Amino acid sequence: MAEAGSHRAGVMSGAVGFASRGMVQVMLFGVTVVATRTLSVAEFGAYALGSLLLVVARQLFYVGPYEYLLKAPDRAGLAGACLAANLVQSLVLAGLLGLAWVGARLFLADPLVAQILGLLIPSLFLVALAAWYEALLLRRVRVRRYYATTLAGDTAGAIAAVLLLLRGWGVAA
């Protein structure tokens, strides 16, 4: 009987996670639609390029240490080692995006791409922590609160971005 309850909790947690990630994608789409209406062509191009580089960098946190933490047998030091690996990964990715930032400043006539990269690089460290924490919670099948918190934070961020775009903040929004 306990096994059925555990299975049901796992299915519910998976459904909450799926819904949360789906809603985040819908909100990102909404922010992008507003950005197309409020940004100039050059600003939107910079936004798109900066966003693309950041999305690729962020996705790398959901492989490697994340997958290892999900699948490895439980042993002392596992969580700490995976957190350290994520932090090292964030340093490497921040360095690579930093090089892209320097390249954008040197080789692009418009400084907007560099501005966006400069603003977004610090978020890699937050993603490193969030991915690690998510993997810990997935191991324990305790993700509903995590996804609810993530959804609330992403919703607040999307609302803020839309409001700032509508108020003329441009790519800084």
Side-chain angles (χ1 to χ4, degrees), residues 45-141:
Y47 164 83
L49 186 57
S51 295
L52 172 69
L53 290 172
L54 190 66
V55 166
V56 169
R58 286 180 175 183
Q59 287 305 104
L60 293 175
F61 285 104
Y62 293 93
V63 296
Y66 177 89
E67 286 289 324
Y68 187 75
L69 184 55
L70 283 177
K71 296 175 182 176
D74 205 15
R75 60 178 189 268
L78 174 66
C82 289
L83 175 60
N86 262 14
L87 293 175
V88 167
Q89 182 175 345
S90 65
L91 285 171
V92 169
L93 291 170
L96 291 172
L97 284 178
L99 288 174
W101 175 80
V102 169
R105 289 181 56 105
L106 292 174
F107 300 113
L108 298 178
D110 193 339
L112 286 175
V113 173
Q115 180 186 355
I116 289 172
L117 288 174
L119 290 170
L120 295 178
I121 288 171
S123 71
L124 292 172
F125 298 98
L126 295 174
V127 175
L129 293 173
W132 170 78
Y133 189 58
E134 179 181 338
L136 281 179
L137 292 174
L138 284 171
R139 279 180 73 92
R140 299 179 185 133
V141 192

Side-chain angles (χ1 to χ4, degrees), residues 143-165:
V143 295
R144 280 191 247 168
R145 181 176 294 158
Y146 170 80
Y147 283 125
T149 303
T150 300
L151 182 58
D154 287 339
T155 301
I159 290 169
V162 166
L163 291 174
L164 291 172
L165 282 166

Side-chain angles (χ1 to χ4, degrees), residues 4 11 13 16-17 19 22 26 41 62 65 75 78 111 114 131 139 153 156 170:
V11 169
S13 293
V16 168
V26 168
V41 172
Y62 293 93
R75 60 178 189 268
L78 174 66
R139 279 180 73 92

